[in-house]
Amino acid sequence: MYRTVLALIPSAFVLALPTPALANWETLVHVPQNTPDRCSSDQNSGVVLLKASENRPLRMAAGSKIMVEVFGHGIDLPRTFSMEGATVTWQGSTGGAENVTRRCGAIGSVKLFVSLPNPQAGTPLVGERATALVIGDVRIPVTVILPTSYDRFAWHRFSGRTDGAALSPRTTNTPSGTTTVSSSPSIAPPQITVQSGPTCQETQTCGGGGTTGFVVNGPRGSTGIAPRDDFKDKTLDLCIRGRGGDVRIAGTRLEIMLPDERGGDVRDCLTRPSFADADQRYVRADVVGVPLNTTEHIPQIRASASGGSEATASTLPEDNGTASIQFNRDFMRTMIGVRNFRLLATNFAGQTKALDVRVQSVVPFGVEDISTPTQLASTGGIRVPRIGGGGSASPALAAPGALSFSLNLAPSDAASRPLVWQVLNPTGGTGGFAGLCFAQTEGTLAPAAGVDRVSVTLTRTANTACPGKTFVLVAAPNGRLDHQLYRKRLEFTLK
C-alpha cells in the first residue's frame, strides 16, 4: 500500500502543473523603459493598464510601441504570441517562484513588446478596430483607436505676441493731421499649457478604467515640452519686431502689421513662416506608449491656405501636428491695406480646423494704382501713359474740359480712409505749368465704406501753352504722399 501511494504522488504532481491550455491572465501592466525589474505591489511591475476583472478591451492608440508584462497562472508557459495588425515580440517569461523574489506575488508572467503600425493619412475613416493579444490559448481583447477627436488648433506662441489685444489705430498728431497705426510695447507670451486627462509620466502611459483622455498639445505635437528654440529664428514675429511692424495673436487670429520700410534684410525675412499646432485627441486611451518627444502615432495633418495665391501652407515633415503659413516676397514687399487669409488644417479623418490671418500695412488703406484717364467734354486730348515721357507726336489744340482718373483702392476695412492727391510737374512741385493748365492741382478724398474705386477730376484751363506738356498725378493716404510704399503715380501728356 505504501508503495502504491508513493507511485501515485508523481502522477498527481504532474496533473497539478498548469499547462498552456489551462493558462489565464489577471493583470496587464505597462513596463516603462529603464524600470527596475521588480514590482511595487502584487502584479504591478510598472503601470497597471487593465485587469481581467474589468471585463473590457485594452484600448491602445494606433502607433503605440510598448513593453507589457501580463500576469496570470500558467501565462509563463506558452511560447506563441500574436496580435492581428501588430508585431508581438517575446521578451521573457517568469515563473511564480521567481516572481515572489521580485515582490510580484506567486504568479507567473510574460513580457512582450507590442508594436502597432503608425496610422497614415490614407487610413480608412474608422475610429476603432477590435483585435486581441493572443498568448497561447489566452486572448486579451484589444481595441486599437485613432485620434478621431480634433480638439484644438492654435497659433504657436512664437508666431506673435499673445497679449490678446488686436492691432488697432492710435492717433498721432502730425502737421498734416495724419492718423497712423503703431505697435504696442512688447509683452512676454504666456507659458504653454498642457491639456490631458490624468497626469502622464515620461512614458506617456495613462491608465484609468477606460475613461482617460489624452491630448497631444504644443509644439511638435507633444505634451508638456517647451517649443524648440530654433522656431524663434524662423518666425515672422522677430523679423519685423522693432522695425515698425508687429505680429500678435488675438484669439484665433494672427495679425501681421508690416513695417513701412521693407528693404534690405527686412525684405528677405518677411517671407518667414508662422506656425500653428493641432491637437488630436485619443478618446479614452489606456496607453499611448511612445516617448514624449515623438508623435509617430499621430497621422500627419494636411495644411492649406485660402484667401489668395499670395499665401501658401505646409506641414513640417518632422512634426505631424504643426502647420505653417507664409507669403510670397512680392506681396509682402508691396502690400498695403488689409488682406485676410485662413490657414486650414485637416486631420486624417477629414475634420478641418481653421485659423484666421490678417495682414495689414501700418496705414491700413491706400491706393493700389491709378487708371488711364478719360477725356470729359473737351476738344483736346491726352497722351498716356508714360513713366518718364513719350506719347504721340501731334497734340491737338486744347479747349476747356476735364480729365477723369480712377483710383483703385487697396482692400481695407478701415472706417475712415482719408486720401490726398496732387498734380505735379515731371520734375516735381505743383508750380509751373501744373498751376497754369489745371484749375486745381491738389485735393483730398474720403471714400465711403465698401467703395473700391474713387475718381479725381482735373479741370483744364484754356491756356494754349498746355498741349504737349507732361504732368504726374500722385495719390496716397493722408500723410504718406512722400512715402514710396504708399505713393502711387501716373504720368500723362496733354494733347
Side-chain angles (χ1 to χ4, degrees):
M1 177 66 180
Y2 175 74
R3 187 178 296 112
T4 303
V5 171
L6 289 178
L8 290 174
I9 289 175
S11 300
F13 181 74
V14 171
L15 290 174
L17 286 174
T19 66
L22 299 176
N24 59 49
W25 76 283
E26 293 187 7
T27 307
L28 190 150
V29 178
H30 170 57
V31 182
Q33 291 180 349
N34 304 319
T35 299
D37 189 26
R38 61 177 181 270
C39 290
S40 59
S41 59
D42 284 354
Q43 302 183 36
N44 185 1
S45 56
V47 180
V48 175
L49 300 180
L50 186 66
K51 291 182 176 293
S53 58
E54 294 181 46
N55 194 31
R56 66 172 181 84
L58 174 70
R59 295 178 64 84
M60 294 184 67
S64 293
K65 295 165 178 59
I66 62 168
M67 177 84 76
V68 298
E69 185 168 11
V70 182
F71 291 89
H73 293 288
I75 203 72
D76 54 310
L77 300 179
R79 290 295 182 270
T80 58
F81 317 97
S82 64
M83 180 190 293
E84 182 183 358
T87 301
V88 181
T89 307
W90 179 66
Q91 302 293 309
S93 298
T94 308
E98 186 177 349
N99 272 339
V100 170
T101 66
R102 297 176 60 220
R103 303 178 183 178
C104 300
I107 192 170
S109 65
V110 59
K111 288 183 179 179
L112 304 170
F113 188 81
V114 181
S115 177
L116 293 172
N118 302 329
Q120 304 298 322
T123 301
L125 305 184
V126 177
E128 299 183 352
R129 178 174 63 85
T131 184
L133 175 60
V134 180
I135 306 173
D137 291 334
V138 175
R139 295 179 62 86
I140 302 175
V142 175
T143 299
V144 179
I145 64 174
L146 292 166
T148 54
S149 181
Y150 197 23
D151 291 338
R152 185 173 175 268
F153 188 39
W155 291 110
H156 193 286
R157 67 173 183 169
F158 287 132
S159 289
R161 305 177 190 180
T162 53
D163 58 353
L167 298 176
S168 58
R170 184 171 67 188
T171 301
T172 302
N173 294 324
T174 65
S176 58
T178 305
T179 299
T180 61
V181 177
S182 55
S183 58
S184 300
S186 176
I187 297 177
Q191 294 298 311
I192 212 164
T193 56
V194 178
Q195 302 175 2
S196 67
T199 301
C200 294
Q201 302 303 317
E202 64 181 20
T203 56
Q204 230 180 28
T205 300
C206 302
T211 59
T212 300
F214 184 83
V215 178
V216 177
N217 184 32
R220 298 181 58 77
S222 64
T223 61
I225 290 183
R228 296 182 306 166
D229 285 345
D230 61 352
F231 270 18
K232 293 186 293 184
D233 298 327
K234 299 177 181 177
T235 58
L236 181 65
D237 181 22
L238 293 186
C239 162
I240 68 173
R241 186 182 293 185
R243 294 180 169 97
D246 202 1
V247 184
R248 70 180 60 216
I249 300 167
T252 61
R253 185 166 66 177
L254 180 68
E255 299 186 335
I256 301 170
M257 185 169 68
L258 299 174
D260 282 351
E261 303 302 331
R262 303 180 195 172
D265 62 336
V266 180
R267 177 191 59 201
D268 295 328
C269 75
L270 287 178
T271 58
R272 291 179 180 176
S274 293
F275 297 96
D277 298 314
D279 291 343
Q280 301 180 76
R281 181 186 289 270
Y282 286 103
V283 180
R284 298 185 303 278
D286 293 307
V287 59
V288 174
V290 293
L292 262 177
N293 61 350
T294 64
T295 56
E296 294 178 345
H297 57 293
I298 298 292
Q300 177 76 61
I301 60 173
R302 301 187 300 277
S304 60
S306 65
S309 60
E310 299 88 352
T312 56
S314 60
T315 54
L316 298 185
E318 71 275 16
D319 186 347
N320 291 349
T322 296
S324 67
I325 188 170
Q326 60 190 120
F327 300 89
N328 67 49
R329 177 175 295 183
D330 287 344
F331 172 74
M332 297 297 264
R333 183 175 58 84
T334 63
M335 181 270 173
I336 60 172
V338 176
R339 289 286 302 275
N340 292 294
F341 300 87
R342 303 197 92 184
L343 174 62
L344 305 171
T346 304
N347 71 353
F348 84 102
Q351 299 167 314
T352 296
K353 296 285 186 181
L355 292 174
D356 294 318
V357 188
R358 173 190 170 97
V359 183
Q360 69 169 73
S361 48
V362 172
V363 177
F365 59 91
V367 178
E368 283 198 330
D369 59 67
I370 304 174
S371 298
T372 301
T374 56
Q375 184 80 31
L376 301 177
S378 173
T379 58
I382 55 172
R383 299 185 299 188
V384 292
R386 179 176 68 86
I387 304 300
S392 57
S394 302
L397 293 177
L403 302 177
S404 179
F405 297 79
S406 291
L407 277 54
N408 300 306
L409 305 181
S412 177
D413 55 9
S416 175
R417 295 179 289 172
L419 303 174
V420 294
W421 61 267
Q422 287 184 342
V423 179
L424 306 176
N425 297 298
T427 56
T430 57
F433 280 100
L436 297 175
C437 296
F438 300 100
Q440 183 180 355
T441 57
E442 58 185 15
T444 61
L445 297 167
V451 172
D452 59 8
R453 181 181 299 174
V454 292
S455 296
V456 170
T457 299
L458 301 181
T459 302
R460 295 180 58 175
T461 68
N463 192 314
T464 57
C466 293
K469 294 295 186 287
T470 297
F471 302 95
V472 179
L473 175 66
V474 295
N478 187 19
R480 289 293 195 272
L481 196 59
D482 294 328
H483 198 289
Q484 190 67 28
L485 177 68
Y486 297 94
R487 174 189 175 104
K488 296 299 182 288
R489 67 193 301 274
L490 178 71
E491 186 172 297
F492 62 96
T493 302
L494 294 179
K495 291 183 179 179

